[in-house]
Amino acid sequence: MNKIRTQLMLCGGTGCHSTGSIAVKEAINNELRRHGLNEEIQVIETGCNGFCALGPVMLVHPEGIFYQKLTIDEVPKLVEEHFLKGRPYKKLQYVDPASKETIPIMNDIPFFAHQMFWVMRNKGIIDPEIIDEYIARDGYFGVAKALKEMTPDQIIEEVKTSGIRGRGGAGFPTGLKWQFAKASPGDVKYVLCNADEGDPGAFMDRSVLEADPHAVLEGMIIAAKAINSRQGYIYVRTEYPLAIKRLEIAIRQAREYGLLGKDILGSGFDFDVEIYQGAGAFVCGEETALMRSIEGKRGMPRPRPPFPAHKGLWEKPSVLNNVETLANIAQIIVNGGKWYASVGTETSKGTKVFALSGAVNNIGLVEVPMGTTLRTIIYDIGGGIPKKKKFKAVQLGGPSGGCVPEEFLDTPVDYEAIVKVGAIMGSGGAIVMDESTCMVDMARFFMDFIQDESCGKCTPCREGTRRILEILNRICDGKGEPEDIETLKELSYTIKDSALCGLGQTGPNPVLSTLRYFIDEYNAHIFEKRCPAKRCVALLKFEIDPEICTKCGLCFKSCPSDAIEWKKKEVAKIDKSKCVKCLTCFDKCRFGAIF
Amino acid sequence: MNEDFQHPDITQDMLKEINEIISTNKNKSGASITVLRNSQNIVGYLPVELIDYISKGLNISSSELFGIASFYSLFSMIPKGKNTIRICLGTACYVKGIKEVMERISNQYKIKEKETTPDRRFSLETVRCLGACGLAPVMVVNQDIYGAMSSDRVLDVLDRYK
Ligand SMILES: Cc1cc2nc3c(=O)[nH]c(=O)nc-3n(C[C@H](O)[C@H](O)[C@H](O)COP(=O)(O)O)c2cc1C
Ligand code: SF4
Ligand code: SF4
Ligand code: SF4
Ligand code: FES
Ligand code: FES
């Protein structure tokens, strides 16, 4: 007999694992056993809950009570208070930073309240390592319907009606992509899942794989039926061991249940999936390079056409889709394309997941309906900028994208609208920057990444990115020349126009977008040899302005090399011979006295 | 296969495992990266001689296999230190000051990215986003993840790894 009255959905995502959720799980189980509660209360390890910055987090089901920042020391108290005495344990509950009020129920917390969970509908609710839990949430209903009741054309029609576009960056209509691959002649075809998640600062795909791997498999099976493929591959970043492990378990269980392999659900349709691990090359996220890499070769892009729909993996027709794209498919099949298309804007349908991070209070995964404004994401969901600092820009689309300044924060999440303000939707990285981020340094950061990851096959990308990086390095080192800005623009446009693949074609975007909105910062570096954000070490004096210094001593306490002289009621002073230019004191001084 | 292959960093047991990996993957298309990965997992890095050896086993030209090994940043042809420090150079960590953390380490142990200290105590590597951006800036030492790293804390943490 099942006596379980309460389930503790403890986050087992990568973020919470690293803040100690594995030990917390053990501690809770021990305490429950000690109180004889282990028969009625069960601990379930879920995938990422979304609110990673407060990890380890836990949801008490069915009440919906949310606990954060669990530690093994607090566990005995928590179990005693909540599960023995029946009073929620306040100390581990969420406190609204604005009103200072405790908010016990997860869905009442502003971070969650403005979101809409479609792709992440199972996050924090199921144990991703148990297929039955996925099935209990209508899992594999989409496969059953697609395989038994629908023709390939009907599937494609439904996906087209939904209006879904690729979530990997480019936003190509998914239904159309499938249609091309289906129309392409050939007996052998492949369905590929892009789980390379290259944007440094994005972790949506990883979380989906960790929290709900079957949703991705389901999407792949439906795609396979649509284009008539027998074999699929998931190309995963090697840096994602937990995602790989959960995928392996999911594939094994799906095979045991007859959901992968021969004659799926008795429909006569065969399809199986293999995992392929990447080996650390950003360019392998590009479709043609990814296919070369699965073939065991160097992952270098090749010119298109031929497009993968005609000649893809091993020269066979192939469909490549992003993790998040695939995770939407089953629900489109089950609920219909019209249902999906009812949410969003004219050209962008459904929801989009963002990995919100940087200078924002609530860091984590955020899923919003298309059309939501960036302001809602950053302020209502993200809780605004910490430490009373001023918002400067939000960076979307990583190294292929751009930054959006304050004046365009009311831009809706929509493929076209975001491009209009000089960024791209991208795969979902959203990094908030405040006044202490130097935008020239940011441009340099992305260019350093692009230059490092350029595969070197074509000259504009290989040489051009190197020259841009040299110039940006020079500017940050205080050796910028007036003509640098023009040269940067020229080089950027040349690379964009002549590079072979998307990496080069979009790589200069962060430079162009910072030039567009933050030309003042470039000018300050070049003409005044000054870094307004105080980040570029070569442009700082490492002195303290006695007029501004409030004599608080915070800098003195934080300096790792005893370079600051300070006594109570006295102005602080930096001994430059001891200073190692670590910038710690700049960060600590709340008054901006150090320059 | 050349059974008397010898290398100071590769024991007979390791070699046995590597031979097995080679023979199970020999006739699979696209297996070269898998073989390199598994071999590196066993030895800790990929000695040049080993790459040569594997290429013979897989029956592909050694220049092709070298090309593959050098293309992917996962593969290292130089030995690693006892402890591997991995610094996240993803955007979220960068914005939150990982550069200063990196500089502290470089200054203290006189190593740069992809280098190992002469006493082989530390190797310094960088990665682009560990997917734990909520904890930024992030540093990983061996298997231990440290979030909210700062330049004033990092040396204390590293002190624990001898
Ligand atoms: C340099 C480069 C890197 C890319 N990295 C990724 C990636 O990590 N993940 C991804 O899904 N798509 C990535 N893409 C986009 C893919 O090439 C491809 O468009 C996408 O996976 C298609 O899936 P979708 O239509 O579902 O978005 C990258 C493209 C380029 C040019
Ligand atoms: S644009 Fe850059 S990454 Fe793409 S093929 Fe050319 S050199 Fe390689
Ligand atoms: S932290 Fe700033 S205000 Fe305080 S003593 Fe140092 S320089 Fe002066
Ligand atoms: S930059 Fe670093 S070393 Fe120099 S004074 Fe400030 S805290 Fe001390
Ligand atoms: S990993 Fe636990 S909330 Fe994201
Ligand atoms: S940017 Fe460092 S963990 Fe994501």
Side-chain angles (χ1 to χ4, degrees), chain A residues 542 555 558-564 573-575 578-586 594, chain B residues 104 151:
Chain A
F542 295 89
C555 56
S558 70
C559 176
S561 60
D562 293 326
I564 298 182
K573 205 169 165 291
I574 296 178
D575 177 349
K578 286 193 198 155
C579 170
V580 295
K581 302 192 173 176
C582 70
L583 298 187
T584 306
C585 57
F586 283 77
I594 312 175
Chain B
R104 289 282 304 152
S151 52

Side-chain angles (χ1 to χ4, degrees), chain A residues 332-533:
Chain A
I332 291 173
I333 296 300
V334 171
N335 302 320
K338 280 215 185 76
W339 162 82
Y340 194 85
S342 69
V343 162
T345 65
E346 192 61 33
T347 56
S348 311
K349 302 297 186 189
T351 62
K352 179 76 197 92
V353 184
F354 288 94
L356 186 64
S357 67
V360 61
N361 276 310
N362 303 334
I363 291 173
L365 279 192
V366 170
E367 183 173 2
V368 291
M370 295 278 191
T372 306
T373 66
L374 296 173
R375 193 181 298 281
T376 301
I377 296 178
I378 295 165
Y379 286 93
D380 299 336
I381 299 174
I385 319 301
K387 297 192 208 159
K388 298 206 176 97
K389 288 201 177 159
K390 253 185 74 197
F391 171 88
K392 186 181 266 182
V394 56
Q395 215 283 346
L396 300 176
S400 315
C403 52
V404 182
E406 171 84 42
E407 62 210 272
F408 294 117
L409 273 187
D410 291 312
T411 305
V413 172
D414 169 285
Y415 288 96
E416 280 68 31
I418 293 182
V419 167
K420 225 179 261 165
V421 295
I424 59 164
M425 174 88 80
S427 58
I431 291 137
V432 181
M433 298 165 183
D434 65 18
E435 54 194 316
S436 59
T437 303
C438 168
M439 298 314 276
V440 186
D441 184 51
M442 261 346 271
R444 170 172 75 161
F445 166 80
F446 282 116
M447 198 38 74
D448 184 48
F449 178 85
I450 288 294
Q451 202 271 324
D452 197 36
E453 296 293 344
S454 164
C455 81
K457 185 167 174 173
C458 59
T459 323
C461 172
R462 187 184 61 234
E463 296 303 324
T465 57
R466 184 174 307 157
R467 282 202 53 207
I468 291 187
L469 181 62
E470 272 166 20
I471 296 175
L472 292 172
N473 275 333
R474 221 164 15 74
I475 297 177
C476 290
D477 281 345
K479 295 177 193 129
E481 314 269 349
E483 61 275 15
D484 282 346
I485 291 184
E486 268 322 298
T487 319
L488 282 177
K489 282 189 191 157
E490 271 167 38
L491 283 168
S492 296
Y493 287 117
T494 311
I495 300 172
K496 276 176 82 76
D497 291 341
S498 51
L500 172 67
C501 85
L503 188 146
Q505 288 155 6
T506 60
N509 286 353
V511 176
L512 290 172
S513 118
T514 46
L515 279 170
R516 174 168 166 186
Y517 295 121
F518 298 99
I519 188 73
D520 288 353
E521 290 195 34
Y522 280 89
N523 286 338
H525 283 72
I526 296 173
F527 297 103
E528 300 166 39
K529 309 293 172 210
R530 182 173 67 84
C531 173

Side-chain angles (χ1 to χ4, degrees), chain A residues 47-84:
Chain A
C48 175
N49 157 291
F51 216 165
C52 311
L54 299 182
V57 302
M58 181 172 89
L59 181 68
V60 181
H61 187 74
E63 299 99 308
I65 291 177
F66 180 78
Y67 285 114
Q68 63 179 37
K69 297 193 175 171
L70 301 175
T71 61
I72 35 179
D73 296 343
E74 290 287 351
V75 164
K77 211 69 190 149
L78 169 73
V79 171
E80 191 185 319
E81 286 290 310
H82 191 141
F83 303 111
L84 216 54

Side-chain angles (χ1 to χ4, degrees), chain A residues 18 200 203 206 237-238 276-280 293 295-299 357-358 363 431 441 445 449 535 560 582 584, chain B residues 30 32-33 37 67-68 71-74 89-92 94 96 99-100 104 128-131 133-135 145 151:
Chain A
S18 52
F203 54 105
R206 152 183 226 149
R237 283 184 84 185
T238 184
Y276 198 92
Q277 279 187 56
S293 183
E295 292 167 7
K297 305 189 185 116
R298 294 199 288 172
S357 67
I363 291 173
I431 291 137
D441 184 51
F445 166 80
F449 178 85
R535 292 290 298 165
C582 70
T584 306
Chain B
S32 49
I33 297 173
R37 174 202 317 281
I68 294 169
F71 182 84
Y72 293 99
S73 66
L74 178 72
L89 274 188
T91 321
Y94 190 80
K96 290 212 157 182
K99 198 169 74 172
E100 284 78 43
R104 289 282 304 152
R128 306 282 189 171
C129 190
L130 292 148
C133 317
L135 315 173
I145 302 187
S151 52

Side-chain angles (χ1 to χ4, degrees), chain B residues 76-89:
Chain B
S76 163
M77 293 181 222
I78 44 173
K80 296 247 176 82
K82 228 177 100 198
N83 303 293
T84 305
I85 308 169
R86 292 192 297 156
I87 297 289
C88 179
L89 274 188

